[in-house]
Amino acid sequence: MIGLPMTVPAPGLPARVRIHEVGARDGLQNEKSAVPTEVKAEFVRRLAGAGLTTIEATSFVHPKWVPQLADAEQLFPLLADVDAALPVLVPNERGLDRALALGATRIAVFGSATETFASRNLNRTVAESLAMFEPVVARAREGGAHVRGYLSMCFGDPWEGAVPVHQVVSVAKALLDLGCDELSLGDTIGVATPGHVQALLSALNEAGVTTDRIGVHFHDTYGQALSNTLAALQHGVTTVDASAGGLGGCPYAKSATGNLATEDLVWMLDGLGIETGVDLAALTATSVWMAEQLGRPSPSRTVRALSHKE
Ligand code: MG
């Protein structure tokens, strides 16, 4: 059994990539059944133990909308001893208040590049959602918190189809103008292809957004997540979102299946000699354990290959 890829570096790639692990939030929020709080805490601890340094822990969204993460108040204090940055999603000022009260120092807001998704997911227009985020971002920054701005539907929208690059750039700029420290460009339905990724990144650069403020969030719905990641790395991106074991999709876009699995990403980055600090064997063991908790196998091909018993 081969446990690691052979390392063969390729030119024009970063030396190091920071993985923004989203399994505990983006992954678990899409599970049908609620995972016990202590299992979530153990999941985050194991992810940190495997070397992940940024682990999005939960969401302070109203429990009515995401009942799977209704235990954010109970979970977050259990993570006080975890040696990793633990960003949390906050949808609005109420969510921010709840997160700050528990000592969160990194928050994320979740915007949309398209009107239809903004309407369906946020019940607002894009402009109204930006207005809602404005005090959230301002108050978070006043409190010294780091703010990530998720931008969903950057490459395609299930209701609107193709999303024009200039439209994405416009909303991305608006999120940064509010004060977001970094952006995460989401391919929420997984339709992006590498040239499209590079075209969007170039357009953002031309609009004055530097690549060091951009992360990418790909879904593997059409099998493109790693190709798109490589294209982003070639452009200079060094922050990549991924979900341990490939947990999760998007509850508001039924066609979206499969976050990029962290193990699949680490296999590629290890092979390229790009540092992540992640121990692939420990991460895989974590996802195998989590799959047992969830009662179904991990969709990650690397997890399946590495955990296959002869
Ligand atoms: Mg996702």
Side-chain angles (χ1 to χ4, degrees):
M1 170 59 67
I2 294 173
L4 285 171
M6 187 168 131
T7 299
V8 184
L13 295 172
R16 186 172 179 87
V17 160
R18 181 175 64 88
I19 298 175
H20 185 108
E21 168 60 46
V22 299
R25 195 277 301 168
D26 188 356
L28 295 185
Q29 82 174 31
N30 294 299
E31 283 302 313
K32 297 222 170 6
S33 53
V35 173
T37 307
E38 183 46 51
V39 171
K40 291 176 180 170
E42 181 63 17
F43 184 40
V44 172
R45 284 185 210 113
R46 286 178 185 233
L47 292 170
L52 288 154
T53 55
T54 308
I55 305 169
E56 197 160 300
T58 187
S59 171
F60 288 87
V61 65
H62 194 287
K64 185 172 106 184
W65 301 115
V66 184
Q68 295 91 332
L69 303 183
D71 61 352
E73 247 97 16
Q74 290 73 46
L75 173 64
F76 198 75
L78 296 178
L79 307 177
D81 60 341
V82 173
D83 184 20
L86 300 173
V88 294
L89 195 65
V90 300
N92 50 33
E93 283 193 273
R94 172 83 186 104
L96 178 71
D97 289 337
R98 292 168 61 204
L100 292 179
L102 291 171
T105 58
R106 295 175 78 99
I107 67 129
V109 296
F110 193 86
S112 169
T114 68
E115 290 294 346
T116 309
F117 191 63
S119 164
R120 286 179 175 250
N121 190 30
L122 304 167
N123 204 24
R124 283 167 174 77
T125 65
V126 169
E128 285 166 353
S129 63
L130 291 167
M132 175 176 70
F133 297 145
E134 187 172 10
V136 176
V137 177
R139 288 185 46 218
R141 285 178 57 93
E142 277 163 28
H146 177 276
V147 182
R148 157 176 264 228
Y150 279 104
L151 190 54
S152 51
M153 303 297 177
C154 288
F155 298 91
D157 173 295
W159 302 282
E160 298 185 15
V163 180
V165 166
H166 67 82
Q167 181 177 324
V168 181
V169 170
S170 164
V171 187
K173 287 267 289 175
L175 277 172
L176 290 173
D177 288 345
L178 291 182
C180 288
D181 295 284
E182 71 174 14
L183 285 175
S184 171
L185 305 175
D187 182 16
T188 316
I189 57 171
V191 294
T193 46
H196 193 171
V197 171
Q198 293 189 333
L200 176 56
L201 292 169
S202 294
L204 283 163
N205 293 157
E206 279 160 29
V209 180
T210 52
T211 306
D212 60 342
R213 299 179 75 185
I214 301 172
V216 288
H217 184 114
F218 293 123
H219 283 192
D220 212 22
T221 320
Y222 295 87
Q224 305 300 302
L226 278 178
S227 308
N228 292 333
T229 301
L230 184 59
L233 297 179
Q234 286 167 336
H235 192 91
V237 168
T238 59
T239 299
V240 179
D241 296 7
S243 177
L247 292 171
C250 173
Y252 301 98
K254 294 295 180 217
S255 59
T257 51
N259 283 306
L260 169 61
T262 313
E263 291 84 355
D264 297 8
L265 173 64
V266 171
W267 183 277
M268 181 176 81
L269 297 177
D270 275 357
L272 288 165
I274 297 173
E275 257 186 73
T276 63
V278 174
D279 178 332
L280 184 57
L283 178 60
T284 300
T286 297
S287 288
V288 169
W289 169 82
M290 195 63 204
E292 285 165 6
Q293 306 301 312
L294 295 169
R296 59 175 179 72
S298 162
S300 160
R301 275 161 288 184
T302 296
V303 170
R304 288 188 192 183
L306 291 178
S307 62
H308 179 71
K309 308 270 193 311
E310 295 296 337

